[in-house]
Amino acid sequence: MTIGLSACGGDFYREAGATVDEGGFGNPTMTNSLISTGQLAVAEGLARRFENEVPPSVNFAFNSAKLDAASRQILLRQANWIRQFPEVRFRVYGHTDLVGSNSYNKSLGLRRANAVVRFLSTQGISRSRLEAVVSFGETQPLVVTEGRERRNRRTVTEVSGFVDGHPSLLDGKYAAIIYREHLESAGRSVFDEVSAGVTQ
């Protein structure tokens, strides 16, 4: 008898409950709060924009949490993007390959996340906006292999929400930020052309 496992996809190789418990105690409550104040849609939009405009991941050498030159270049791009949105918080998730014990890899993943947070905080970003609180260790590989896979040895930086009480947040609404983002995305030349057409 043959049993098909194709429906399981990539989750087949993950630990039981990994998709239910994402490792962040209190995240369901935070998500409910963001939905009720209307911030979640904006946070999701910023998260997609961040992922599309800068590389969200950096990779590491085997058994190392040291940032190499290529990682620092990517993190400089992340820092430039993050500085544009002083009201947004970010979370850095650490990952490892499948070599070594799960407990060691969780610790190594967290050291990698902390290395990224330390670097970003040297680039003029408040440490209070950066979290390295979750380490997935070896439980979420990009490439399922028991060997040394560099793509699995990574951190991922993501938008995690908004800074409480930031002056740009308007009663749980994000109108000022959306407006600023709209102006920046349109570009100065579009407004110049419109202004020139209006004055002629």
Side-chain angles (χ1 to χ4, degrees):
M1 176 182 211
T2 304
I3 300 174
L5 296 175
S6 61
C8 296
D11 288 339
F12 177 74
Y13 294 100
R14 294 173 61 192
E15 63 188 9
T19 56
V20 175
D21 178 13
E22 81 299 337
F25 180 76
N27 279 350
T29 301
M30 181 183 70
T31 300
N32 288 341
S33 175
L34 291 174
I35 289 171
S36 67
T37 60
Q39 295 181 45
L40 185 62
V42 176
E44 288 175 346
L46 284 171
R48 281 190 300 275
R49 181 175 169 192
F50 178 76
E51 190 174 323
N52 290 333
E53 294 181 6
V54 297
S57 300
V58 296
N59 295 102
F60 293 83
F62 179 72
N63 196 29
S64 174
K66 183 178 178 182
L67 298 170
D68 60 18
S71 296
R72 287 191 295 274
Q73 287 301 311
I74 290 171
L75 292 175
L76 286 172
R77 291 179 62 191
Q78 287 186 13
N80 288 335
W81 198 97
I82 291 170
R83 279 193 301 268
Q84 295 177 55
F85 298 94
E87 53 285 292
V88 179
R89 290 191 335 250
F90 292 81
R91 205 174 263 162
V92 180
Y93 298 90
H95 301 267
T96 66
D97 58 24
L98 299 179
V99 178
S101 72
N102 188 44
S103 62
Y104 179 80
N105 284 337
K106 285 186 87 65
S107 172
L108 177 58
L110 188 57
R111 288 198 316 269
R112 288 173 174 166
N114 280 318
V116 168
V117 166
R118 278 192 303 275
F119 182 88
L120 291 173
S121 67
T122 67
Q123 302 302 308
I125 299 166
S126 170
R127 177 65 178 84
S128 64
R129 297 175 53 214
L130 303 167
E131 298 176 277
V133 296
V134 177
S135 169
F136 287 113
E138 63 186 14
T139 61
Q140 294 188 4
L142 290 178
V143 179
V144 179
T145 176
E146 296 294 326
R148 298 180 179 188
E149 176 54 57
R150 181 171 174 82
R151 288 172 288 179
N152 291 338
R153 300 191 305 262
R154 70 198 189 280
T155 59
V156 179
T157 306
E158 296 180 356
V159 170
S160 64
F162 301 103
V163 175
D164 290 337
H166 194 279
S168 295
L169 299 174
L170 307 174
D171 299 324
K173 304 300 180 195
Y174 212 41
I177 296 167
I178 294 170
Y179 180 69
R180 184 183 73 213
E181 188 176 324
H182 170 72
L183 293 178
E184 289 175 5
S185 68
R188 180 63 67 190
S189 62
V190 172
F191 288 105
D192 291 342
E193 290 174 14
V194 170
S195 297
V198 169
T199 57
Q200 292 178 357

